[in-house]
């Protein structure tokens, strides 16, 4: 299949808001090894759509991720 030869384009950084690992096993192949690109992950403690523990599993697939944990839900936190 096409995914077997899929490679990541030249990604310089990534931002994940309520991110999680892909559900399809064919896309999980992209994250078998830790990726070394800079990432920012926003994780809401009250997120009913993507539970924080699912976002944490995505965080684990990156080297030196930056993480914003907040008390909100499925959003990027606003400054007050």
């Amino acid at each position: 299949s096409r995914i077997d030869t899929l490679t990541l384009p030249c990604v310089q950084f990534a931002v994940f808001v309520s991110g999680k690992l892909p559900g399809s096993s064919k896309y999980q192949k992209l994250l078998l090894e830790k990726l070394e690109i800079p990432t920012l992950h926003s994780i809401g403690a009250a997120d009913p759509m993507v539970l924080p523990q699912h976002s944490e599993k995505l965080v684990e697939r990156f080297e030196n991720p930056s993480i914003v944990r907040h008390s909100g839900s499925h959003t990027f936190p606003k400054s007050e």
Side-chain angles (χ1 to χ4, degrees):
S1 75
R2 184 171 169 248
I3 194 68
D4 293 335
T5 59
L6 183 66
T7 57
L8 290 175
C10 185
V11 176
Q12 294 184 8
F13 66 91
V15 177
F16 298 95
V17 178
S18 300
K20 64 179 185 173
L21 289 171
S24 172
S25 61
K26 65 182 178 180
Y27 296 111
Q28 290 175 0
K29 291 178 182 180
L30 294 172
L31 297 170
L32 287 176
E33 296 181 16
K34 284 193 176 190
L35 299 176
E36 296 182 15
I37 62 171
T39 57
L40 172 63
H41 302 260
S42 173
I43 302 173
D47 190 338
M49 298 173 77
V50 178
L51 299 176
Q53 58 265 34
H54 294 166
S55 291
E56 294 288 350
K57 291 197 179 294
L58 178 63
V59 167
E60 293 171 1
R61 304 314 314 145
F62 294 91
E63 293 287 340
N64 302 312
S66 295
I67 307 165
V68 175
R69 291 183 178 89
H70 58 90
S71 61
S73 62
H74 199 70
T75 62
F76 196 84
K78 298 176 185 174
S79 63
E80 302 198 11

